Amino acid sequence: MSKYWNSRVKNISPYVPGEQPRDRKFIKLNTNENPYPPSPKVIEAIQEAANERLRLYPDPQCTALRDAVARRYAVKSEQVFAGNGSDEILAFAFAAFFESNNGSKADSILFPDITYSFYPVYADLWDIPYRTIPVKEDFSINTADYKIPSGGAVFPNPNAPTGIPIPLSDVLSLAEYLEKQNKVLLVDEAYAAYGAESAVPFINKHSNILTVHTLSKSASLAGLRGGFAIGNSELIEGLCRVRDSFNSYTVDRLALAGAEAAVLDAAYYDGINRRVIATRERVTKTLRGRGFTVLPSAANFIFIKAPIEKTEPCISGADLMAALRERGLLVRHFNRNRIADYLRVSMGTDEEMDAFLEACVAIINSIGKTR
Ligand code: PMP
């Protein structure tokens, strides 16, 4: 606590990102990065953009990148917003479309109790009241639970950290409900490339759907910081109004060049992401064969729980994470109600996942021996 902080800063609980180790060499399965490199065309484009023109500001409208996204997704450029990673776009979207408490209490926005842990942080930052809706016993989202008066709704599809996808028909039915109340539905499609059905083709049907996308996962560009949103042009203009009240140049020249090349090289990325999906299916099958619970994932990660002995998992989520760390493997644990026994494991290369599976088996076997 500092006496210089204002009350807003005193009261927020910032998001804690996954560890990026600097010393020891780990197999990193903790932040859902892509294990394969970006397209060579991306590297080339960035190298080409590293020239004397860096003395000039970048295009604040990100025109070339937005045109590339528009072509790829069969939408109009004015239906695309580009930003410095999708976290930034989500932060702008919360500020643009959800009502803050302003003298009187605004209607609460809705999101799942188990979901991306940045949502409550943005809500608190902008003083937007929110209510969490419990996911079902099997951790799936029941969109019917969201058909109540609210200030709008947000969830990832597939959800994180469970990886469970939401059927498109459910997303659209909720969008229709919210549209009648003039409320926005934010669909965070960070992991949609790994199996969920995108809502992008329905942005003309439902003017209140904003889909948010990232280049960090499926385009192997977490280090570049790039993302985009697709939705009705009025929503896009709302995002621009927030950005231009904050920082007009959020995407730099190198990132613009790299992001555009990534969006245009769908063939390369389809190839590597197919591999990630195949690895996910193989690892899921192997772990289930060993007695682990693995939720059905449509993402580039899985959410797992150690084999049950009597009624409890034979090792807690925190202990399994620590044991894996000792063996040089980083995974993510969320010490939160309902999911403390689970670990989120990002998909690495097949060799990395073999090392992970071997470590899991060794840890579980060693528990049996010490009893
Ligand atoms: N949404 C979800 C559900 C995520 O898991 C992440 C990654 N932490 C993001 C958005 C943000 O991704 P980025 O800012 O790297 O685009």
Side-chain angles (χ1 to χ4, degrees):
M1 231 8 126
S2 161
K3 59 178 182 281
Y4 298 116
W5 296 352
N6 66 18
S7 53
R8 186 194 294 268
V9 171
K10 277 183 191 146
N11 290 329
I12 49 177
S13 321
Y15 175 76
V16 183
E19 180 180 356
Q20 295 292 343
R22 257 165 286 180
D23 43 4
R24 199 175 138 192
K25 216 172 151 22
F26 285 99
I27 293 181
K28 265 193 98 273
L29 308 176
N30 67 333
T31 48
N32 299 342
E33 289 140 331
N34 199 310
Y36 301 109
S39 155
K41 290 181 186 156
V42 169
I43 311 294
E44 232 169 78
I46 294 170
Q47 279 165 345
E48 237 167 70
N51 59 37
E52 68 83 25
R53 289 173 69 80
L54 281 171
R55 70 193 172 77
L56 302 171
Y57 282 107
D59 170 11
Q61 270 85 45
C62 308
T63 312
L65 172 56
R66 286 170 49 229
D67 288 350
V69 172
R71 244 173 297 146
R72 164 101 174 257
Y73 289 85
V75 296
K76 297 189 188 125
S77 297
E78 65 260 29
Q79 294 173 318
V80 180
F81 179 86
N84 188 351
S86 61
D87 279 338
E88 180 186 78
I89 299 173
L90 289 167
F92 289 172
F94 272 60
F97 310 125
F98 299 149
E99 207 61 68
S100 295
N101 288 320
N102 193 0
S104 61
K105 201 143 174 73
D107 286 334
S108 294
I109 62 161
L110 307 176
F111 48 80
D113 60 340
I114 294 167
T115 195
Y116 186 32
S117 44
F118 228 136
Y119 301 153
V121 179
Y122 295 133
D124 287 340
L125 178 67
W126 305 124
D127 199 19
I128 296 160
Y130 64 88
R131 194 176 137 193
T132 57
I133 305 287
V135 294
K136 291 197 292 195
E137 195 71 22
D138 64 359
F139 292 104
S140 65
I141 289 174
N142 181 12
T143 51
D145 295 343
Y146 293 70
K147 291 180 179 173
I148 54 176
S150 76
V154 52
F155 45 69
N157 192 17
N159 194 15
T162 61
I164 300 176
I166 307 161
L168 182 60
S169 53
D170 289 0
V171 174
L172 297 179
S173 151
L174 178 60
E176 191 176 339
Y177 174 88
L178 288 168
E179 197 174 9
K180 288 189 192 128
Q181 335 251 326
N182 298 327
K183 295 296 188 295
V184 168
L185 175 60
L186 275 188
V187 188
D188 180 350
E189 296 196 350
Y191 303 100
Y194 298 99
E197 301 167 286
S198 173
V200 169
F202 296 89
I203 58 153
N204 289 321
K205 182 153 188 241
H206 298 293
S207 59
N208 62 333
I209 296 181
L210 187 77
T211 63
V212 181
H213 310 255
T214 177
L215 298 172
S216 299
K217 327 288 181 180
S218 56
S220 299
L221 288 171
L224 182 96
R225 310 305 300 131
F228 51 91
I230 303 178
N232 176 286
S233 58
E234 285 176 27
L235 297 180
I236 301 308
E237 200 183 326
L239 292 172
C240 292
R241 287 172 75 95
V242 173
R243 178 197 59 204
D244 295 334
S245 308
F246 178 79
N247 170 12
S248 293
Y249 305 103
T250 59
V251 192
D252 65 67
R253 282 177 171 272
L254 303 184
L256 282 173
E260 183 189 347
V263 169
L264 292 175
D265 200 356
Y268 171 85
Y269 286 109
D270 285 348
I272 62 167
N273 290 322
R274 261 203 302 272
R275 282 168 75 184
V276 171
I277 292 170
T279 305
R280 179 190 75 206
E281 295 309 299
R282 179 176 74 87
V283 172
T284 299
K285 200 162 162 232
T286 309
L287 284 173
R288 285 183 181 155
R290 292 276 177 179
F292 279 77
T293 302
V294 186
L295 300 189
S297 171
N300 66 343
F301 54 82
I302 52 176
F303 208 46
I304 68 165
K305 184 168 75 174
I308 303 289
E309 234 175 54
K310 293 197 184 108
T311 56
E312 296 291 309
C314 63
I315 180 168
S316 73
D319 287 349
L320 182 54
M321 177 179 73
L324 285 166
R325 194 174 205 286
E326 246 168 53
R327 289 172 158 79
L329 291 138
L330 292 185
V331 299
R332 193 93 199 260
H333 176 245
F334 300 92
N335 195 15
R336 287 193 356 231
N337 204 12
R338 298 184 73 183
I339 56 170
D341 282 336
Y342 282 80
L343 292 180
R344 190 194 69 191
V345 183
S346 313
M347 286 306 107
T349 61
D350 278 309
E351 298 72 51
E352 288 173 328
M353 296 320 289
D354 285 341
F356 167 77
L357 290 169
E358 214 173 281
C360 283
V361 171
I363 293 163
I364 301 299
N365 285 345
S366 72
I367 299 170
K369 286 200 192 88
T370 55
R371 280 205 188 127

